[in-house]
């Protein structure tokens, strides 16, 4: 695995990332863990597999797993209308156009289902990649999802349910559904049913003082191009736990979750999902729709995200239908977090990998190159 070490060390030396951690596992256990660089740029403390990180949208697959557990137990119907579990959902409308600065809204053509929340086809977007939603939030004073205000859930749909893949707050709504069905706050549900049983003691909604002391801050580039730590963080007293983003974790913790996904719902003798339930997660659930490029509206938060053609969405995972030379097999599932944390699960090869930094913007080309170089080095060594 020396080549992987070299990839990480070279990335830090080039200034592509201030610090980076990579993990890999097969069905027997962890096969690689490594790190390079600093926890805080220009400080002495190295980043490590036990460094606390904001995993952002890597939370989404945990929330999806919670919903699939409730489905396994017969408590949740994925094809039921969302308003069955969250009556306030029935009040939402579709943003059709603007008349001057006044948004024109209309009722949706159909009722969105829980499954459509899981597959990002319910119609909701993110301000980061949708100009109309960004404008709507500005002219109406509606907050985006990050400040932790429940007013974010008044944001409109951007298309009729089932007509388009639109990456957005769908899984935050799914978290609300999980809470309604389970009768538990989302953080407690995770702790009792997923992260606790998997031994993920450092995966949490809010860091302790000890965990914060070994956390990595989010970094941005300064005027001279060097990495500068910031105080960017999740809201510490939110009105809701955002199923799309709220978790902190460590690379060593999250690989346990990845191994559960690779193990068809089980990690060793701990079963989280019934055998076979995860087959749907790795199967196209959006039909003829495709995963589109995400074109940025806020370059400080994200670069353009264009992952190429022929991509589908399962339940919580982006699926590649073709294999690139020396990389994950077709049918692998993947997702990522805003601060440049990434994971994939490759059932055909029996391998899962992840790579973590804490930087903005998301999908910064040098950082994405490190991800690709790590993946190729991992498969070459496996």
């Amino acid at each position: 695995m020396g080549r992987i070490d070299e990839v990480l060390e070279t990335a830090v030396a080039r200034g592509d990332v201030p610090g980076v951690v990579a993990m890999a596992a097969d069905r027997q256990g962890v096969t690689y863990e490594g790190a390079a660089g600093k926890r805080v740029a220009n400080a002495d403390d190295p980043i490590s597999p036990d460094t606390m990180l904001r995993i952002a949208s890597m939370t989404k697959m945990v929330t999806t797993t919670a919903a699939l557990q409730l489905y396994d137990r017969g408590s949740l119907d994925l094809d039921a209308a969302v308003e069955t579990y969250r009556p306030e959902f029935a009040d939402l409308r579709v943003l059709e156009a603007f008349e001057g600065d006044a948004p024109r809204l209309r009722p949706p053509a159909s009722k969105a289902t829980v499954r459509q929340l899981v597959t990002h086809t319910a119609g909701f977007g993110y301000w980061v990649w949708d100009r109309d939603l960004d404008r709507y939030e500005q002219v109406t004073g509606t907050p985006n999802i990050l400040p932790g205000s429940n007013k974010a859930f008044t944001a409109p749909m951007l298309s009729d349910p089932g007509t388009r893949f639109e990456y957005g707050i769908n899984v935050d709504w799914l978290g609300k559904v999980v809470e309604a069905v389970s009768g538990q706050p989302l953080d407690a549900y995770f702790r009792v049913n997923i992260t606790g049983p998997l031994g993920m003691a450092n995966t949490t909604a809010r860091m302790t003082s000890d965990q914060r002391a070994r956390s990595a801050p989010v970094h941005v580039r300064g005027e001279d191009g060097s990495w500068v730590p910031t105080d960017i963080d999740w809201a510490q007293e939110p009105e809701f736990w955002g199923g799309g983003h709220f978790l902190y974790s460590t690379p060593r913790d999250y690989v346990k979750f990845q191994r559960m996904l690779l193990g068809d719902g089980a990690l060793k003798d701990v079963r989280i999902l019934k055998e076979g339930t995860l087959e749907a997660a790795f199967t196209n659930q959006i039909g003829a729709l495709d995963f589109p490029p995400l074109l940025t509206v806020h370059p400080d938060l994200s670069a353009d995200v264009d992952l190429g053609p022929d991509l589908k969405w399962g339940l919580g995972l982006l699926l590649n239908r073709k294999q690139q030379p020396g990389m994950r097999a077709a049918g692998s599932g993947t997702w990522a977090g805003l601060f440049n944390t990434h994971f994939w699960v490759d059932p055909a090869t029996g391998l899962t990998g992840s790579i973590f930094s804490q930087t903005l913007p998301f999908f910064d080309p040098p950082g994405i190159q490190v991800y690709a170089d790590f993946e190729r080095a991992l498969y070459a060594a496996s």
Side-chain angles (χ1 to χ4, degrees), residues 21-97:
V21 182
M23 304 287 297
D26 59 19
R27 290 189 172 95
Q28 282 67 55
V30 174
T31 59
Y32 176 83
E33 59 176 46
K38 303 301 183 183
R39 183 175 61 83
V40 183
N42 302 315
D44 294 331
D45 193 13
I47 197 168
S48 81
D50 285 323
T51 297
M52 295 292 297
L53 306 168
R54 297 150 195 81
I55 63 169
S57 289
M58 283 168 59
T59 304
K60 287 181 169 66
M61 192 58 198
V62 185
T63 304
T64 298
T65 297
L68 292 176
Q69 279 187 328
L70 296 173
Y71 166 79
D72 276 350
R73 297 168 185 172
S75 303
L76 176 62
D77 180 356
L78 294 180
D79 295 310
V82 178
E83 65 190 62
T84 304
Y85 305 105
R86 301 297 312 199
E88 70 272 27
F89 193 91
D91 297 332
L92 297 178
R93 297 293 182 263
V94 177
L95 176 60
E96 192 169 47

Side-chain angles (χ1 to χ4, degrees), residues 74-361:
S75 303
L76 176 62
D77 180 356
L78 294 180
D79 295 310
V82 178
E83 65 190 62
T84 304
Y85 305 105
R86 301 297 312 199
E88 70 272 27
F89 193 91
D91 297 332
L92 297 178
R93 297 293 182 263
V94 177
L95 176 60
E96 192 169 47
F98 287 91
E99 296 172 353
D101 278 337
R104 185 169 76 236
L105 305 173
R106 62 168 176 80
S110 60
K111 293 183 177 182
T113 67
V114 177
R115 186 183 300 274
Q116 288 169 337
L117 294 179
V118 178
T119 60
H120 292 278
T121 58
F124 297 101
Y126 274 134
W127 81 105
V128 180
W129 298 285
D130 191 282
R131 196 168 300 279
D132 286 340
L133 180 59
D134 187 50
R135 182 181 179 190
Y136 177 90
E137 291 176 347
Q138 291 182 41
V139 301
T140 64
T142 303
N144 64 53
I145 209 73
L146 294 183
S149 167
N150 274 315
K151 291 180 181 179
F153 289 96
T154 65
M157 302 171 186
L158 302 172
S159 57
D160 287 310
T163 62
R164 192 169 85 193
F165 183 100
E166 180 87 34
Y167 185 57
I169 66 168
N170 302 276
V171 182
D172 293 287
W173 268 110
L174 184 66
K176 293 273 193 180
V177 170
V178 169
E179 290 185 332
V181 174
S182 69
Q184 291 177 278
L186 197 59
D187 63 327
Y189 184 92
F190 284 2
R191 191 166 55 249
V192 172
N193 295 278
I194 302 173
T195 59
L198 290 174
M200 299 169 65
N202 285 306
T203 300
T204 183
R206 187 180 286 115
M207 290 189 283
T208 65
S209 57
D210 288 344
Q211 289 171 329
R212 187 163 290 279
R214 58 184 169 88
S215 68
V218 176
H219 292 76
V220 299
R221 290 192 186 275
E223 291 184 4
D224 64 354
S226 64
W227 290 107
V228 178
T230 73
D231 60 0
I232 294 169
D233 205 351
W234 306 135
Q236 295 301 294
E237 298 292 339
E239 295 177 358
F240 67 94
W241 296 117
H245 69 271
F246 76 95
L247 286 176
Y248 301 90
S249 189
T250 68
R252 192 170 277 158
D253 247 24
Y254 200 83
V255 78
K256 297 175 184 178
F257 181 74
Q258 295 168 237
R259 290 174 60 199
M260 181 276 294
L261 298 177
L262 185 63
D264 191 26
L267 176 62
K268 297 182 179 179
D269 59 349
V270 176
R271 180 154 290 282
I272 301 298
L273 294 169
K274 289 182 178 179
E275 287 186 53
T277 295
L278 278 171
E279 289 180 13
F282 291 91
T283 304
N284 175 25
Q285 299 289 326
I286 61 173
L289 300 177
D290 287 309
F291 179 85
L294 304 176
L295 303 181
T296 190
V297 178
H298 289 273
D300 56 323
L301 296 178
S302 177
D304 289 341
V305 181
D306 188 350
L307 299 175
D310 209 22
L311 297 171
K312 296 293 182 179
W313 196 267
L315 296 180
L317 297 170
L318 179 67
L319 310 177
N320 59 299
R321 302 215 292 183
K322 295 181 180 178
Q323 181 176 15
Q324 297 299 319
M327 302 182 83
R328 70 194 70 172
S332 297
T334 185
W335 203 231
L338 183 67
F339 305 118
N340 289 295
T341 61
H342 303 265
F343 79 98
W344 80 92
V345 179
D346 180 347
T349 307
L351 190 64
T352 181
S354 50
I355 189 165
F356 300 80
S357 58
Q358 291 284 272
T359 59
L360 285 173

